[in-house]
Structure formats: structure tokens, C-alpha cells
Amino acid sequence: VWSTPRDVCRAGQGEVPLPLDVEWVFVRVDAHKRPLTPLYLGPFKVLSQTRQTARLQLGDRTDSVAIQRLKPFRGSEAPTPAAPPPLGRPPRSPQLGGVM
């Protein structure tokens, strides 16, 4: 006889929402990571915030990020903004031995 669980785990329950007065946040990297790479990038400046998303200043551009991926920066001094991660494919390395 199979029993059904009575307490179903729901996503979002028990999570602490991002405070409305936070100015700087770290962004969780959800992509596959090599060992010993940081889980979060940042800190980045929060420009505005809704219930589900926050608009962040990423270098010279802005982007909207889900609140669940953010972690508040807890520091006494204003941090220096982090450089945004590079977009696209990495530059091609020069070939050794001349032209193929």
C-alpha cells in the first residue's frame, strides 16, 4: 500500500523575502559551475524592486533578476560595484604553429 505525503513541500515556503530597503545584493549563479567557483556574483546595486523581481545595475547596463536568486549585501561600507560577467563566447585563443 502506497501512502501519500500529507505535508507537501512547496517552493517559496520558509524563504525570507528580500528587504525593501536593501541597496546592494549578490546574484546566485544557477549555471553549472566548476569546483571552488563562487556561488554568487556581485555586489550589484539595486535600482528598483517588485514582489518577484529586482532591477540591478550591472556595469553600464540594467537587468531584471528574480528575487529568489538574490542575497543581500551585509557590510558597513558601500562596496565597489562588481563588473558584470562577460556575455557570449570567450575570445578565441591564437593558434600555435601558424595558419592551418
Side-chain angles (χ1 to χ4, degrees):
V1 177
W2 297 95
S3 63
T4 58
R6 294 185 186 240
D7 295 327
V8 178
C9 178
R10 299 192 195 286
Q13 283 187 342
E15 292 180 7
V16 177
L18 193 66
L20 293 175
D21 61 345
V22 69
E23 293 183 31
W24 296 88
V25 293
F26 293 101
V27 178
R28 186 181 68 228
V29 179
D30 288 336
H32 177 72
K33 295 174 282 306
R34 294 177 157 245
L36 301 177
T37 56
L39 296 175
Y40 291 87
L41 295 176
F44 299 109
K45 185 160 182 59
V46 177
L47 301 176
S48 64
Q49 180 179 342
T50 64
R51 237 179 57 173
Q52 303 262 334
T53 62
R55 182 151 301 286
L56 305 179
Q57 182 72 41
L58 303 173
D60 57 350
R61 62 185 175 91
T62 62
D63 199 3
S64 184
V65 179
I67 293 289
Q68 291 85 6
R69 293 182 55 205
L70 301 180
K71 177 178 170 181
F73 171 79
R74 303 202 188 278
S76 57
E77 299 177 10
T80 56
L87 298 176
R89 183 176 287 188
R92 199 170 188 179
S93 61
Q95 296 178 358
L96 299 175
V99 178
M100 294 187 135

